[in-house]
Amino acid sequence: MPYGERKTQIIETAAQLFSERGYHATSVRDIAAALDLQGGSLYAHIQSKEEVLWLIVERAAEQFFEAVRPLAESDLPPDEKLRRAVHAHIRVITDDLAAATVYFHEWRFLEEEHRNTFLEQRREYEHLWREMVREGMEKGVLRNDEDPKYMAILILSAMNWLYHWYRPDGPLSPDEIAERFWRMLLEGLQAPVFEVPTA
Amino acid sequence: MPYGERKTQIIETAAQLFSERGYHATSVRDIAAALDLQGGSLYAHIQSKEEVLWLIVERAAEQFFEAVRPLAESDLPPDEKLRRAVHAHIRVITDDLAAATVYFHEWRFLEEEHRNTFLEQRREYEHLWREMVREGMEKGVLRNDEDPKYMAILILSAMNWLYHWYRPDGPLSPDEIAERFWRMLLEGLQAPVFEVPTA
């Protein structure tokens, strides 16, 4: 955690409020009130509401990178790499649903410079996934009759939608969801047409 | 279209503004200005900003139902039913990205009664998908070692994320995206392990 305790509290409280009400419907005063502070005293820690939005988005982006990049750059076989990356990506979402909601939706309200940095980081992150997919194709693990771009988008879409429906008190843990989703994606939804002969 | 021309314009303009700026950051005055009207004159057609949000969400919900219910209730084989439903659902999203964005995100700002109706309709719509999946399992088309609930969520997630990334000037048409996504979902991402013997 690169920030002091107070700044971290501000970021987390703001993420909660932004995710519930939306960025524009949340004032600095609301964030302060949720922390039992005076509105003005928040400005000792932050410059603007937009800075807080940026800190939330930047932190979430870092968490996705920290979770997935070591796997992408590892020597694991491509299917195991992707399997673990699916678990890791899903855990970043489920560990902090509020931050994920802000990352996936409210980023559009960033000011231009921050928004451009966000979009650049997101492209870089998607590139990690595309390269994992491409490696899987090259090594004969994934089908190579599809475009790695759309295969990566399909995998990311299946995972990212979690922020809309995942609830911590639901019946499946994040790892169980990751396991099932990855199995369905990898093996496909259709019934097996014939049996593998047993050795 | 069940509304007069002016009301339809209001709904479409508001959907555009809500999707770009968010519901809370858009005022009735903004909607009026985008239509070259006086703010007050909008109230001849609508009661409140929240009513407009509800009209957008309700209309999108209807479009999803109208596109998919006839397929779900048809006598088509389950894989063809699902394939066509994937195309139909994706077309509702891509035909009106602004409305889809409001439907998927801004619904949370509906007032309680409308929000409850929305959630009820969404459950009903998801139920259509779950039943198509269940039928596919029962008829031996889809694998039956997975929970129809999570299989339906996986399919809907893959499609719904389109509102984040689809652009009308992108390289693939909505039908091409639907075709590829459904093929990858159905057949799976892994390389075929062995060949089907040719007859």
Side-chain angles (χ1 to χ4, degrees):
Chain A
M1 192 73 59
Y3 312 117
E5 196 186 337
R6 181 57 89 195
K7 195 156 181 175
T8 303
Q9 279 179 340
I10 294 169
I11 295 172
E12 289 173 357
T13 302
Q16 197 60 46
L17 294 174
F18 293 168
S19 75
E20 286 166 10
R21 309 179 188 177
Y23 173 71
H24 281 300
T26 308
S27 66
V28 169
R29 196 185 294 255
D30 295 331
I31 302 168
L35 287 162
D36 273 329
L37 293 172
Q38 299 286 326
S41 70
L42 233 60
Y43 290 105
H45 304 278
I46 56 149
Q47 285 170 28
S48 65
K49 188 171 81 159
E50 198 268 348
E51 192 208 354
V52 182
L53 177 60
W54 170 242
L55 293 173
I56 297 166
V57 167
E58 194 191 28
R59 194 165 109 159
E62 271 170 22
Q63 283 170 343
F64 282 118
F65 273 115
E66 281 169 19
V68 170
R69 188 178 266 142
L71 293 166
E73 292 173 351
S74 73
D75 294 328
L76 287 167
D79 45 349
E80 184 58 16
K81 192 180 272 195
L82 278 161
R83 193 185 74 82
R84 291 197 200 180
V86 166
H87 278 261
H89 181 95
I90 283 180
R91 252 181 273 118
V92 172
I93 296 172
T94 56
D95 278 357
D96 195 341
L97 277 175
T101 304
V102 175
Y103 176 82
F104 285 129
H105 195 86
E106 308 293 320
W107 65 267
R108 65 192 70 194
F109 305 122
L110 289 167
E111 284 167 14
E112 194 180 356
E113 196 185 322
H114 285 152
R115 195 165 63 239
N116 289 340
T117 308
F118 165 84
L119 290 170
E120 183 53 47
Q121 286 177 339
R122 195 176 67 174
R123 270 193 293 275
E124 215 182 299
Y125 186 67
E126 287 170 357
H127 183 75
L128 282 183
W129 283 88
R130 204 180 296 188
E131 287 308 304
M132 285 191 283
V133 163
R134 197 188 304 274
E135 189 197 358
M137 289 181 179
E138 281 165 10
K139 296 199 174 162
V141 172
L142 299 185
R143 61 193 294 169
N144 57 14
D145 59 346
E146 294 286 347
D147 186 329
K149 176 181 166 187
Y150 292 101
M151 200 183 274
I153 290 177
L154 177 70
I155 298 169
L156 284 164
S157 301
M159 298 189 293
N160 289 349
W161 198 254
L162 264 160
Y163 91 84
H164 285 281
W165 66 272
Y166 174 77
R167 290 296 166 267
D169 57 354
L172 295 189
S173 72
D175 278 340
E176 284 167 332
I177 294 168
E179 204 61 35
R180 287 187 192 214
F181 271 33
W182 180 239
R183 188 171 57 224
M184 287 192 276
L185 283 169
L186 193 67
E187 299 175 2
L189 304 184
Q190 67 189 350
V193 180
F194 43 80
E195 299 290 315
V196 182
T198 48
Chain B
M1 191 74 57
Y3 313 118
E5 196 185 340
R6 181 57 91 194
K7 194 155 182 176
T8 302
Q9 279 178 341
I10 294 170
I11 295 172
E12 289 174 358
T13 304
Q16 198 60 46
L17 294 174
F18 292 168
S19 75
E20 286 166 9
R21 310 179 187 178
Y23 173 70
H24 281 299
T26 308
S27 65
V28 169
R29 194 184 295 255
D30 294 332
I31 302 167
L35 287 162
D36 274 328
L37 292 172
Q38 298 288 323
S41 71
L42 233 60
Y43 289 105
H45 305 278
I46 56 149
Q47 285 169 29
S48 64
K49 188 171 80 159
E50 198 269 348
E51 192 208 355
V52 182
L53 177 60
W54 170 242
L55 293 173
I56 298 166
V57 167
E58 194 190 27
R59 193 165 110 159
E62 269 170 23
Q63 284 170 342
F64 282 118
F65 273 114
E66 281 169 17
V68 170
R69 187 177 267 142
L71 294 166
E73 292 174 351
S74 74
D75 294 327
L76 287 167
D79 45 350
E80 184 58 17
K81 193 180 272 197
L82 278 161
R83 192 185 75 82
R84 291 196 198 181
V86 165
H87 279 259
H89 181 95
I90 284 180
R91 252 181 273 118
V92 173
I93 297 173
T94 56
D95 278 356
D96 193 342
L97 277 175
T101 304
V102 176
Y103 176 80
F104 286 130
H105 195 87
E106 308 294 320
W107 66 268
R108 65 193 71 196
F109 305 123
L110 289 168
E111 283 166 16
E112 193 179 357
E113 196 184 323
H114 285 151
R115 195 164 64 240
N116 289 340
T117 308
F118 165 83
L119 290 171
E120 184 52 47
Q121 286 177 337
R122 195 175 66 175
R123 269 191 295 275
E124 214 183 301
Y125 186 67
E126 286 169 357
H127 183 74
L128 282 184
W129 283 89
R130 204 180 297 187
E131 287 308 304
M132 284 191 283
V133 164
R134 198 188 304 275
E135 188 198 358
M137 289 181 180
E138 282 165 10
K139 296 199 175 161
V141 172
L142 299 184
R143 60 193 294 170
N144 57 14
D145 60 344
E146 294 285 349
D147 186 330
K149 176 181 166 188
Y150 292 101
M151 200 182 274
I153 291 176
L154 177 70
I155 298 169
L156 285 164
S157 302
M159 299 188 293
N160 289 348
W161 198 252
L162 264 160
Y163 90 83
H164 286 281
W165 66 271
Y166 174 78
R167 291 294 166 270
D169 57 354
L172 296 188
S173 73
D175 278 340
E176 285 167 331
I177 294 169
E179 204 59 36
R180 287 188 191 213
F181 270 34
W182 180 240
R183 187 169 59 223
M184 287 193 275
L185 282 169
L186 192 67
E187 299 176 1
L189 305 182
Q190 67 189 350
V193 179
F194 43 82
E195 299 290 315
V196 182
T198 49

